[in-house]
Amino acid sequence: MSKAGDGAAAGQPLLRIEDLQKKFGDLEVLCGVSLNVARGEKVSIIGPSGSGKTTLLRCINYLEKPSAGHIYIDGTLIGEKKSGDRFIHLTDRELARERQEIGFVFQRFNLFPHLTALGNVTVAPMRVLNLSREAAEARGRDMLQKVGLSHKADEYPERLSGGQQQRVAIARVLAMQPKLMLFDEATSALDPELIGEVLRVMRQLAEEGATMVIVTHEIQFASEVSDRVIFMDQGRIVEQGLSREVLFKPKEARTREFLKHIQDR
């Protein structure tokens, strides 16, 4: 794994976030977040509920439109374009093309119930990438094999366990060959005995060099997989650094308080 402690790789970062702000009415959920993620880096984001972690992920791929600030993937502005001195939000069609490069694994799987596992994995490559059915199904079967579910290709979501559904969701993201993968509490909706099978797939992706931003409460997993850990609270980054430093030798009192609460549960 890369060990870019400050998030800066040689050259430009894969993901660059500049002064990101998000408000819902009068509620300020993100208060000027800036962040770089290097190509191949694994960054885990931890923090209490309501700290802005999920909103940050949703803003990165414009599932939520930021109130202010800018996001770049590979140096290219995401979700908007510049016209003179103004920034103009993209149309839904333009935005859909940009989202191809950002994979999002949700808490609740979000599979189509009327499609088989293979159907869920192939629908986006056919509709968005314009792959033929044959090519999309070949890629889809490869991705299902990668997550250990080649034998479940023809099963519908209702016949799959939660862990299996989440692995199908990961295969669906992989089939789009994204540059960046976002994981929003990918194990939080699972029974404890099913968490391990999803974390194993995520570990494998990390070992293969995927660029990953992971919102998680799995502190042990974060310590083993992440190059860097970010602690957020009240819409701000309170502390960030190498995973072993933030998780085992935090500098900020608020980080120490949070980690102690997690350990005492």
Side-chain angles (χ1 to χ4, degrees), residues 1-103:
M1 292 190 295
S2 66
K3 290 296 177 184
D6 62 357
Q12 69 184 7
L14 177 65
L15 170 65
R16 185 168 92 249
I17 301 172
E18 294 181 349
D19 195 24
L20 193 67
Q21 300 172 47
K22 178 62 181 177
K23 290 183 177 181
F24 294 100
D26 293 332
L27 178 63
E28 192 170 17
V29 179
L30 295 176
C31 311
V33 172
S34 295
L35 174 66
N36 287 347
V37 177
R39 191 180 309 277
E41 192 177 17
K42 271 60 70 178
V43 176
S44 287
I45 303 176
I46 62 173
S49 297
S51 59
K53 307 183 300 297
T54 291
T55 300
L56 175 59
L57 288 197
R58 291 177 65 85
C59 284
I60 289 173
N61 76 338
Y62 266 70
L63 287 174
E64 295 287 355
K65 188 179 295 183
S67 302
H70 307 292
I71 300 163
Y72 299 82
I73 299 289
D74 252 356
T76 300
L77 194 61
I78 294 294
E80 53 187 358
K81 55 189 174 185
K82 196 168 184 181
S83 177
D85 294 331
R86 298 172 58 235
F87 290 90
I88 302 171
H89 288 293
L90 299 183
T91 65
D92 289 344
R93 185 182 295 273
E94 291 171 325
L95 190 54
R97 286 199 295 269
E98 291 193 342
R99 281 206 188 105
Q100 296 174 30
E101 299 187 336
I102 307 171

Side-chain angles (χ1 to χ4, degrees), residues 105-257:
V105 179
F106 298 87
Q107 296 180 32
R108 292 283 175 181
F109 327 138
N110 285 10
L111 299 180
F112 294 113
H114 64 289
L115 296 178
T116 64
L118 181 61
N120 270 279
V121 176
T122 59
V123 63
M126 286 192 294
R127 292 185 180 179
V128 180
L129 302 181
N130 295 318
L131 292 188
S132 68
R133 179 175 296 277
E134 182 180 15
E137 288 189 352
R139 182 183 292 186
R141 291 186 188 280
D142 286 345
M143 295 305 101
L144 287 173
Q145 182 175 14
K146 188 179 188 70
V147 300
L149 288 175
S150 56
H151 61 299
K152 297 290 187 179
D154 297 324
E155 296 285 2
Y156 288 88
E158 66 178 9
R159 294 179 60 86
L160 300 175
S161 70
Q164 290 170 337
Q165 290 186 60
Q166 191 61 293
R167 284 188 283 157
V168 171
I170 293 172
R172 177 178 59 185
V173 166
L174 293 173
M176 294 295 289
Q177 300 179 338
K179 292 181 178 180
L180 172 66
M181 297 187 70
L182 309 176
F183 294 84
D184 183 21
E185 295 282 10
T187 60
S188 66
L190 302 178
D191 293 334
E193 64 268 23
L194 300 177
I195 290 173
E197 64 188 58
V198 173
L199 294 183
R200 278 192 296 274
V201 171
M202 293 173 66
R203 281 192 178 91
Q204 177 186 345
L205 296 176
E207 290 167 0
E208 292 173 355
T211 307
M212 303 164 67
V213 179
I214 307 161
V215 169
T216 184
H217 281 108
E218 301 288 340
I219 300 301
Q220 184 64 34
F221 172 78
S223 71
E224 294 170 356
V225 171
S226 307
D227 300 310
R228 189 158 43 112
V229 168
I230 291 170
F231 173 66
M232 288 186 65
D233 191 27
Q234 297 183 353
R236 294 179 170 82
I237 293 177
V238 175
E239 183 169 355
Q240 63 175 305
L242 294 175
S243 57
R244 62 180 177 270
E245 294 176 354
V246 174
L247 295 175
F248 302 115
K249 296 180 180 179
K251 297 176 181 177
E252 300 293 331
R254 182 66 185 96
T255 313
R256 292 194 295 270
E257 178 187 7

